[in-house]
Amino acid sequence: MIKVILTKNDKFLKLSSLIDNKNKKMLLALDIVNCQISIVDDLIENGINECEIIFNLEAGALLKYILKFEGKKIKDSYTICPERSRIGANGLKKSFFRDLTVNLLGQNSKADLNIKITSLKEQQINLITKQIHLSSNTSSLLNIKNVMLKNSKFHCDNLIKIEKDLSNVTAIESSKVLSLVSDAQVIFKPKIEVDSQDVICKHEAAILGLNEEQIFYLQSRGMSCKRAKDFLLKSFLN
Amino acid sequence: MIKLKKFEEKVVPKKTKKIFDKLGLPQAEQEFLAGLGAQHESESVYHQMRDEWKQKGVIFLDTDTALKEYPSIFKKYFATVVPASDNKFAALNSALWSGGTFIYIPKGVEVTMPLQTYFRIDTKQMGQFERTLIVADEGSNVHYIEGCTAPQFRAASLHAAVVEIIAKDNATVRYTTIQNWSKNIYNLVTKRAVIGKNSKVQWIDGNLGSGVTMKYPAVILKGKGASCELLSISFASKKQQVLDSGSKAIHLASNTNSTIISKSICKDGGVTNFRTFVYVDKKAKDCKSFVQCDALVLDKKSSTNTYPFLNIKNLNAKINHEAKVSKIEDEKIFYLMSRGLSKKEAQALIVNGFLDSFVKVLPMEYAIEMNQLIDIEMEEQA
């Protein structure tokens, strides 16, 4: 386990700067104390497919987390987490696993998590997220977008938990999947557990296809069908 | 003119008759129902239907009589949707079942008036294990209403029913149930429908009473073009009252649609849980599913949880899910109070508005009753 405390001086962090190259399986704990920080998750590009990351946000902390994974080949991975065996890799070797926990411990802390994934052929992506609010006046926003290609699998397990006697808490989670094929599989397991009154919690999940009318419109403006599709895919992810 | 046999003509225990009179069931039977059934404890005490529907071949009987009079139809469909091995409460019900309703609608018959059965538990430490079987043959149409109540005792009672619905091709079944059990009833029921080609099932489910409810009506969309709509509300208004409800839609055929809308309210330490399951099979193309779950938390003591589960194996489907948990906004209460309403009235009005999409699909008489029940639950607020 790697434990890091981030303070006022830290503004930007690439997770690859924290890793030891020999370690293929990771557990990262980041304590963010009274600072505004952007964190880019580039662990997959550095050969780490499976990782558990825990963010502890103290009072006034502001976190922006970005995970972008655009259809790169993943090396064969190994099982490290008990959750992983629970959700099952189903024999697909080219998979990656990410377990993100955001503990909003202090007042006025805020987390903004953006995950954008393009799954290649026969890839399995397992994502577990937890937004745990332990203090009042906190907000968390999780945005997941995934483009799925042939035979890929996406397993998404999200939890929003609001502890007792908190006020002015906002927690939003949004998962959108754009599928270009029919033979892919998606499992969504979003959970909301609320023990306080003064909260706004939202969860939304959608599975969409490319809009034929939009493709037709772009073709009428001179684009080829393939280019129009690429264009719409890019606009979905951005 | 076909005359309806009056409720009074049947042999009904005096005490039970008194309760049914108070509830206005004989009047309802004469005015707007095609048929009425009543079950007291574990026995069916009354089942009567208008002659015009009898002549068209509609069967509306308690399950015990149906098994004696129409064994071939009854045995053909019984336990085909919910087998005894399904879960432990289905096993208990299959072992002990008594009473309930059997409905058979022949091909092409459209029953324009609702059929209703009323269930009541009057004894403490009682178990009610009724079995309801509804078979709608090809091209038929039926609306079935179920109501449940019980008085308050110190000892708890159990209601473990099984409801099976079979809607064949092009059939339409509407199943409305409003349970207002007392707060010491364990309401653990298994409800499921299997529907064929182009058929439609609408499941309207109101959960107001009971101490613990676990109810997850399921629809298996087996035929192409089938559609289902599952609307449910839960109102947990007492400490330690747990209303665990939800819906399941299993898409096994192409071009099938499902809509699941759930509204839940909790106050005074009540707990509402919502669980959904949407499954789209690999072979099912162009399916659509919409799941919406809204929860309202009225005070700090209460809690609400949602656990949806979407398993989509064919991504030609269009799936939408949204869940929202919120409180009553202070601005809305302030506005209504500025228009002359008290705080309690304003809250009750907002809650009624929150449940509007559910209430407006109920028949008029039930919609009024539902609004009154919600007002009563709101008035009980400490």
Side-chain angles (χ1 to χ4, degrees), chain B residues 117-255:
Chain B
T117 306
Y118 175 79
F119 296 91
R120 186 170 174 91
I121 298 175
D122 264 331
T123 316
K124 60 184 173 183
Q125 291 183 310
M126 178 74 196
Q128 195 176 53
F129 305 97
E130 95 267 7
R131 189 97 190 188
T132 298
L133 177 58
I134 300 169
V135 182
D137 219 323
E138 287 171 26
S140 62
N141 187 339
V142 66
H143 181 192
Y144 175 66
I145 303 170
E146 209 178 70
C148 321
T149 59
Q152 186 79 39
F153 290 113
R154 277 186 189 171
S157 293
L158 171 68
H159 177 247
V162 168
V163 176
E164 297 173 283
I165 297 175
I166 297 154
K168 294 200 174 178
D169 298 353
N170 302 309
T172 305
V173 178
R174 196 168 173 200
Y175 180 98
T176 305
T177 175
I178 296 172
Q179 69 91 349
N180 189 26
W181 294 116
S182 60
K183 303 289 190 271
N184 55 354
I185 300 275
Y186 286 87
N187 184 34
L188 311 166
V189 296
T190 309
K191 301 190 171 193
R192 196 170 301 158
V194 175
I195 64 174
K197 215 172 159 185
N198 295 323
S199 57
K200 194 180 172 188
V201 163
Q202 196 177 26
W203 210 300
I204 301 151
D205 195 352
N207 300 297
L208 288 155
S210 85
V212 175
T213 286
M214 286 187 179
K215 188 196 271 184
Y216 319 102
V219 179
I220 300 165
L221 299 119
K222 225 175 175 182
K224 276 186 184 176
S227 66
C228 69
E229 199 176 336
L230 297 118
L231 306 172
S232 68
I233 63 151
S234 305
F235 198 141
S237 58
K238 284 266 162 32
K239 201 182 175 186
Q240 293 178 332
Q241 187 184 6
V242 181
L243 296 185
D244 204 319
S245 61
S247 311
K248 294 176 192 172
I250 296 159
H251 296 255
L252 299 178
S254 299
N255 297 310

Side-chain angles (χ1 to χ4, degrees), chain A residues 49-83:
Chain A
N49 305 336
E50 302 189 2
C51 188
E52 278 185 66
I53 307 172
I54 301 164
F55 296 107
N56 294 319
L57 275 67
E58 299 291 345
L62 233 137
L63 165 71
K64 198 167 184 186
Y65 169 87
I66 301 158
L67 166 63
K68 266 192 185 178
F69 176 67
E70 289 173 355
K72 285 174 187 162
K73 282 185 181 176
I74 307 171
K75 289 172 191 170
D76 291 356
S77 59
Y78 313 91
T79 303
I80 50 157
C81 305
E83 285 91 338

Side-chain angles (χ1 to χ4, degrees), chain A residues 78-97:
Chain A
Y78 313 91
T79 303
I80 50 157
C81 305
E83 285 91 338
R84 172 73 191 284
S85 53
R86 179 166 57 81
I87 57 183
N90 297 335
L92 289 176
K93 283 180 179 175
K94 296 166 185 173
S95 62
F96 95 74
F97 171 85

Side-chain angles (χ1 to χ4, degrees), chain B residues 280-300:
Chain B
V280 178
D281 195 57
K282 234 179 183 179
K283 292 171 194 165
K285 291 176 190 167
D286 299 320
C287 297
K288 284 181 191 167
S289 179
F290 175 72
V291 182
Q292 185 190 341
C293 169
D294 292 336
L296 206 57
V297 187
L298 297 186
D299 57 39
K300 287 179 183 176

Side-chain angles (χ1 to χ4, degrees), chain B residues 6 20 24 59 63 72 88 96 107 112 130-131 167 182 185 205-206 220 229 270 281 304 307 318 320-321 323:
Chain B
K6 283 184 184 174
F20 291 161
I59 303 168
T63 40
S72 57
K88 58 187 175 187
L96 302 170
K107 266 186 192 176
T112 49
E130 95 267 7
R131 189 97 190 188
S182 60
I185 300 275
D205 195 352
I220 300 165
E229 199 176 336
D281 195 57
T304 182
Y307 304 102
K318 281 184 182 167
N320 275 298
H321 165 82

Side-chain angles (χ1 to χ4, degrees), chain A residues 155-236:
Chain A
H155 189 128
C156 192
D157 204 332
N158 315 108
L159 169 71
I160 293 175
K161 187 162 175 59
I162 318 286
E163 291 292 343
K164 266 189 175 176
D165 301 325
L166 304 185
S167 60
N168 193 19
V169 174
T170 308
I172 295 167
E173 195 270 311
S174 162
S175 311
K176 282 180 186 160
V177 168
L178 185 72
S179 71
L180 301 177
V181 287
S182 60
D183 55 357
Q185 186 184 355
V186 178
I187 295 176
F188 283 128
K189 278 188 188 174
K191 291 164 220 150
I192 299 178
E193 292 178 3
V194 179
D195 288 331
S196 295
Q197 185 203 7
D198 188 7
V199 297
I200 296 173
C201 282
K202 279 184 198 170
H203 168 264
E204 57 178 46
I207 295 169
L208 316 154
L210 281 178
N211 191 325
E212 294 291 329
E213 280 178 19
Q214 287 173 349
I215 294 171
F216 178 76
Y217 174 76
L218 290 171
Q219 281 180 301
S220 75
R221 309 293 288 181
M223 278 190 191
S224 69
C225 184
K226 192 178 177 293
R227 211 180 144 210
K229 280 182 179 177
D230 286 347
F231 189 76
L232 289 172
L233 282 179
K234 273 184 185 170
S235 69
F236 170 75

Side-chain angles (χ1 to χ4, degrees), chain B residues 313-336:
Chain B
K313 289 190 173 173
N314 188 320
L315 290 196
N316 264 336
K318 281 184 182 167
I319 312 291
N320 275 298
H321 165 82
E322 53 184 66
K324 191 183 173 191
V325 179
S326 59
K327 63 166 189 166
I328 296 180
E329 286 167 38
D330 293 338
E331 283 172 17
K332 285 180 185 171
I333 291 177
F334 178 75
Y335 173 75
L336 288 171

